[in-house]
């Protein structure tokens, strides 16, 4: 019964999110373009599926994953758990004592990105547009690796207290330089994948990790240092996606050269 | 009829596979690292079932509703050839989908707390509320502008990396002038603005526009709208922090 009322509440808030979009789309369609929408019934059903699907998805996350994940973020950042691995009590914690936090950040960043619905959408579209040259799984794994690296580096920053803009600015410089060496076709998609990664699944868990860490590490303020993980998670996918394209291009070029070589030998 | 069930079963299996890594990670940390039992197994399993079913429905509806409507709109705007209407549409789509975004509302409220604690505004409920809603509208306007700029870029075929690089330079310069308390929030605000429903719609719009205009490559020109939408909020939020 409780679940049902919860589902109803989530469904209502999802519909509330969708209303502005529906109003804008159908308003422009009716008053500006003045043309009936092709396959209107199918499109409406599609919207209904998206709303129901998103509501079920959020309900499930709220019931199953978020409570455990949040609790886990709290427990892993608890100084008592981290001290458990050190023999001398009372000694100040070193940044390397937080290794479980970094590993957790890496694993949770990668796994939540794989399940991120908006990334799935973009990957499907990119695969379709590129005529299959960009694999759905290749893109998703590349983005997941980027988020994983980003979030574990972000937790390292919270532990050590280095200013966030050092990392972000260095990252920007790297992205700009890498752009000149990456295949042209991938660049816009790589830039997009930075913003796509962080929505429904990743943000709540990652925010819990950041706030938990910032409130237990001595000398950090939850309000100032708790933020910034999302920024890391949107920066690194750009680098890994361009890297993915660079590697696949190199592999394809090598295969082509090998084939040409063999053909030449054949002709001789 | 049986075909439908086969297709549904297959996409359910796909969703299950998408979800498996999270389950493994959380299970591993719970049992091996933290050495605790898994609480409320029944709730966990029903929750997972909901997530799998939800993801399946979402992807099904995506290809049925969101992708086609985005493309249809792009094609009809391209055929109509009215630039002002296209830009007005782009702005309203960016503004309208962002202003009500729950993640943004949460971040804005959080930012107001930071500002009050840092002494930038009075620590009363009234001034915090107006700070938060001011921030929310600022971000929504910036996303609207981002989509407008992105659409103009698609029409003109400008290369994206110069524009993004200029945006980065702006972000870096502003970082040195913005109050320290706002920087973390500003950097994060770029990531939270683009929701699960907006992303597929905006992507379909960009790709549709690029493929219906002659001389544009959907791969090179079609993507990139999201990138603008995650960049401008950073600039605008820091500007907001500097002005207030």
């Amino acid at each position: 019964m409780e679940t049902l009322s919860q589902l109803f509440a989530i469904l209502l808030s999802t519909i509330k999110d969708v209303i502005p979009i529906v109003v804008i789309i159908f308003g422009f369609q009716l008053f500006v373009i003045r043309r009936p929408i092709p396959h209107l019934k199918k499109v409406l059903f599609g919207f209904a599926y998206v709303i129901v699907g998103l509501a079920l998805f959020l309900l499930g996350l709220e019931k199953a994953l978020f409570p455990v994940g949040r609790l886990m973020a709290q427990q892993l950042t608890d100084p008592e758990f981290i001290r458990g691995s050190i023999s001398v009590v009372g000694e100040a914690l070193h940044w390397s004592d937080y290794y479980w936090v970094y590993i957790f950040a890496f694993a949770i960043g990668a796994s939540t990105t794989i399940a991120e619905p908006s990334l799935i959408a973009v990957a499907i579209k990119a695969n379709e547009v590129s005529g299959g040259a960009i694999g759905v799984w290749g893109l998703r794994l590349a983005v997941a690796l980027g988020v994983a690296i980003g979030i574990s580096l972000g937790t390292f920053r919270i532990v050590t207290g280095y200013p966030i803009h050092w990392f972000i600015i260095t990252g920007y410089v790297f992205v700009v330089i890498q752009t000149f060496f990456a295949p042209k076709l991938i660049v816009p998609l790589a830039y997009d994948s930075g913003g796509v990664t962080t929505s429904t699944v990743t943000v709540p868990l990652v925010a819990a990790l950041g706030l938990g860490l910032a409130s237990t590490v001595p000398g950090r303020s939850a309000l100032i240092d708790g933020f910034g993980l999302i920024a890391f998670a949107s920066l690194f996918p750009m680098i890994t996606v361009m890297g993915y394209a660079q590697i696949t291009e190199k592999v394809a070029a090598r295969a082509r050269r090998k084939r040409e070589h063999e053909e030449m030998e054949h002709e001789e | 009829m049986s075909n439908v069930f086969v297709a549904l079963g297959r996409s359910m299996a796909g969703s299950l596979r998408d979800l498996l890594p999270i389950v493994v990670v959380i299970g591993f940390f719970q049992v091996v690292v933290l050495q605790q039992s898994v609480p409320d197994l029944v709730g966990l399993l029903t929750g997972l079932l909901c997530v799998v079913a939800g993801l399946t429905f979402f992807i099904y509806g995506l290809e049925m509703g969101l992708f086609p409507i985005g493309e249809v709109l792009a094609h009809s705007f391209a055929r109509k050839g009215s630039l002002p209407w296209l830009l007005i549409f782009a702005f309203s789509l960016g503004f309208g989908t962002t202003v009500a975004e729950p993640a943004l509302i949460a971040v804005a409220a959080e930012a107001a707390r930071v500002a009050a604690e840092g002494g930038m505004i009075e620590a009363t409920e009234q001034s915090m509320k107006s700070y938060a809603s001011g921030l929310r509208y600022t971000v929504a306007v910036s996303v609207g502008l981002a989509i407008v700029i992105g659409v103009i870029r698609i029409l003109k075929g400008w290369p994206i990396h110069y524009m993004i690089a200029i945006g980065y330079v702006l972000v870096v310069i502003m970082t040195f002038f913005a109050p320290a308390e706002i920087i973390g929030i500003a950097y994060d605000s770029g990531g939270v603005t683009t929701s699960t429903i907006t992303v597929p719609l905006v992507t379909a719009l960009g790709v549709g526009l690029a493929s219906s205009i002659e001389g544009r490559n959907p791969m090179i020109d079609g993507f990139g709208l999201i990138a603008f939408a995650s960049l401008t909020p950073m600039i605008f939020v820091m500007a907001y922090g500097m002005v207030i």
Side-chain angles (χ1 to χ4, degrees), chain A residues 72 125 140 192 200 223 228, chain B residues 18 30 71 117 188 196 224 227:
Chain A
M72 203 169 274
K125 200 82 203 164
R140 284 170 70 188
D192 264 4
T200 341
L223 284 175
Chain B
D18 293 339
Q30 187 78 358
E71 270 160 35
E117 202 149 290
D188 269 4
T196 314

Side-chain angles (χ1 to χ4, degrees), chain A:
Chain A
M1 213 42 229
E2 194 200 335
T3 311
L4 263 181
S5 67
Q6 217 175 340
L7 176 66
F8 193 68
I10 292 178
L11 199 61
L12 219 61
S13 79
T14 314
I15 292 174
K16 225 169 71 189
D17 286 353
V18 177
I19 281 177
I21 301 176
V22 170
V23 169
I24 291 166
I25 288 179
F26 288 91
F28 272 86
Q29 193 76 40
L30 281 177
F31 297 111
V32 179
I33 294 173
R34 295 207 191 107
R35 230 178 239 283
I37 298 168
H39 313 294
L40 181 62
K41 214 169 134 195
K42 201 175 150 198
V43 168
L44 288 179
F45 267 108
F47 264 84
Y49 279 132
V50 164
I51 291 172
V52 170
L54 209 52
L56 273 177
F57 188 73
L58 291 174
L59 175 75
L61 289 179
E62 206 48 68
K63 277 199 90 65
L65 290 171
F66 287 167
V68 189
R70 284 203 193 101
L71 195 66
M72 203 169 274
Q74 262 172 32
Q75 288 170 333
L76 281 172
T77 52
D78 189 350
E80 239 167 72
F81 167 78
I82 291 160
R83 271 193 196 289
S85 55
I86 309 168
S87 47
V88 189
V89 182
E91 204 177 313
L93 284 167
H94 193 244
W95 66 264
S96 58
D97 295 330
Y98 287 87
Y99 59 93
W100 274 123
V101 173
Y102 309 137
I103 297 172
F104 180 70
F106 189 92
I108 205 79
S111 58
T112 52
T113 305
I114 292 291
E116 200 66 78
S118 47
L119 177 62
I120 299 177
V122 169
I124 291 173
K125 200 82 203 164
N127 180 264
E128 185 190 305
V129 171
S130 68
I134 292 165
V136 171
W137 276 97
L139 184 68
R140 284 170 70 188
L141 288 176
V143 173
L145 181 69
V147 173
I149 295 172
I151 294 180
S152 38
L153 203 61
T155 52
F156 168 76
R157 180 200 77 87
I158 295 178
V159 170
T160 54
Y162 293 129
I164 182 171
H165 50 272
W166 291 4
F167 291 87
I168 300 292
I169 292 172
T170 315
Y172 283 166
V173 172
F174 195 90
V175 166
V176 170
I177 294 173
Q178 196 185 7
T179 300
F180 290 99
F181 297 98
K184 271 211 171 51
L185 281 175
I186 200 77
V187 170
L189 182 64
Y191 287 175
D192 264 4
S193 57
V196 162
T197 48
T198 43
S199 48
T200 341
V201 201
T202 319
V203 172
L205 283 180
V206 165
L209 188 65
L211 287 175
L213 203 54
S215 57
T216 53
V217 176
R220 301 290 167 276
S221 133
L223 284 175
I224 293 177
D225 296 299
F227 291 99
L229 280 182
I230 310 292
F232 278 87
S234 359
L235 176 64
F236 282 84
M238 298 195 235
I239 297 171
T240 49
V241 169
M242 283 196 273
Y244 158 73
Q246 283 171 306
I247 291 169
T248 45
E249 197 188 46
K250 285 232 166 66
V251 169
R254 185 171 301 162
R256 204 169 43 236
R257 268 203 305 278
K258 204 177 160 195
R259 214 172 32 241
E260 279 165 10
H261 195 73
E262 276 169 5
E263 272 168 19
M264 260 161 59
E265 277 180 353
H266 221 69
E267 278 166 24
E268 281 168 20

Side-chain angles (χ1 to χ4, degrees), chain A residues 185 188, chain B residues 150 153-160 206-207 209-211 215-225:
Chain A
L185 281 175
Chain B
R153 178 193 82 90
I154 294 175
L155 299 181
K156 301 272 180 196
W158 291 331
I160 190 172
V207 169
L209 267 181
S211 55
R216 296 284 169 276
N217 179 328
M219 205 56 213
I220 291 180
D221 302 300
F223 290 95
L225 286 176

Side-chain angles (χ1 to χ4, degrees), chain B residues 12-109:
Chain B
M12 283 279 256
S15 303
L16 205 58
R17 195 188 48 205
D18 293 339
L19 219 62
L20 198 63
I22 305 189
V23 176
V24 171
V25 167
I26 288 192
F28 173 79
F29 273 86
Q30 187 78 358
V31 176
V32 180
V33 180
L34 294 165
Q35 288 169 359
Q36 277 163 3
S37 62
V38 178
D40 186 18
L41 197 63
V42 179
L44 201 68
L45 287 180
T46 46
L48 282 180
L49 202 70
C50 286
V51 175
V52 170
L55 201 56
T56 310
F57 272 121
F58 176 81
I59 292 170
Y60 202 61
L62 195 72
E63 310 218 27
M64 228 167 112
L66 284 185
F67 278 162
I69 195 84
E71 270 160 35
V72 164
L73 275 166
H75 288 303
S76 0
F77 272 117
R79 220 183 7 242
K80 197 175 160 67
S82 157
L83 183 64
W85 276 120
L86 174 60
L87 296 184
I88 292 170
F89 173 73
F91 184 84
S92 6
L93 193 64
F95 183 87
T97 55
T98 310
V99 79
E101 170 72 28
L104 176 63
I105 295 173
V107 167

Side-chain angles (χ1 to χ4, degrees), chain B residues 162-220:
Chain B
Y162 292 119
M163 305 178 75
I164 295 287
I166 292 170
Y168 284 167
V169 170
L170 269 176
V171 169
V172 170
I173 292 173
M174 291 188 75
T175 302
F176 290 105
F177 295 102
E181 293 84 6
I182 202 100
I183 290 174
I185 294 165
Y187 282 4
D188 269 4
S189 68
V192 296
T193 49
T194 42
S195 79
T196 314
I197 296 173
T198 320
V199 166
L201 202 59
V202 166
T203 306
L205 179 77
V207 169
L209 267 181
S211 55
S212 52
I213 297 171
E214 214 169 309
R216 296 284 169 276
N217 179 328
M219 205 56 213
I220 291 180

